[in-house]
Amino acid sequence: MEACKRRRLRRDAEINRERIMTAARVAFRERGLDVPLEEIARRAEVNIATLYRRFPDREALIEAILADHMADFVEAAEAAELADDPWEAFAGLVEHVCGMQAADQGVTEALTTCFPTAALEAPRARAMAAVDRVIERARRAGTLRADFTGQDLILIMMANAGVLGSTRCTAPQAWRRLIGLILDACRADRVGPPLPPAPSTKDLQAAMSSARPQR
């Protein structure tokens, strides 16, 4: 009898966890990472204490929801390294990552936010290392402007996040024009005067850390 009760409690806990994750996935996609946890609990039809038993804080819930998206970022960046054409590899990667942002408001924010846990930062670092190699290959091929850096991709994602924040509901495809314009400006044969210096990695990390959702 006691064993049956324990199994039932474990099963109930698993069901509640899945309901919370399903509700959070939808809420983050629709409203971003700072949606109130009370709303997520309401959508999951559990009380807030149950949510906190499964996920002790907002970052734990974000980590559980976004792990697959960070894995997608890694996969896209590493696949781009294997593409035959260096420019198409670079442009396709930029479009893919910006498309991830367009599809999910939570991802829009996550890709331009630093988190304190290795579960999200480790795959981001792996993806950005692959991004740097894709950039270097396109620069060596003479198709990408020589002064483009990995920091510039982060700036592109930040710019895309701003456009999506203003147009997601009214002109949801506007981001595609932005990325088309940016990619055209990135081509080596479009180069004009030298660009101003890129922000330092430290400064960008500080900006991304300041965007972290509050507990």
Side-chain angles (χ1 to χ4, degrees), residues 190-209:
R190 301 290 197 272
V191 173
L195 292 172
S200 69
T201 300
K202 180 180 178 181
D203 287 344
L204 279 179
Q205 286 177 339
M208 293 166 72
S209 293

Side-chain angles (χ1 to χ4, degrees), residues 5-51:
K5 182 179 180 180
R6 286 197 299 271
R7 285 196 296 271
R8 185 171 64 253
L9 289 173
R10 284 197 297 269
R11 177 59 179 159
D12 289 346
E14 290 170 3
I15 290 172
N16 284 338
R17 187 178 191 278
E18 190 56 40
R19 289 169 70 175
I20 292 165
M21 287 189 65
T22 298
R25 196 172 288 114
V26 174
F28 289 161
R29 183 172 64 242
E30 292 176 350
R31 295 188 50 188
L33 300 179
D34 61 353
V35 61
L37 296 183
E38 291 78 7
E39 178 175 336
I40 292 173
R42 179 184 59 77
R43 291 185 183 212
E45 298 182 339
V46 301
N47 61 50
I48 192 66
T50 298
L51 185 151

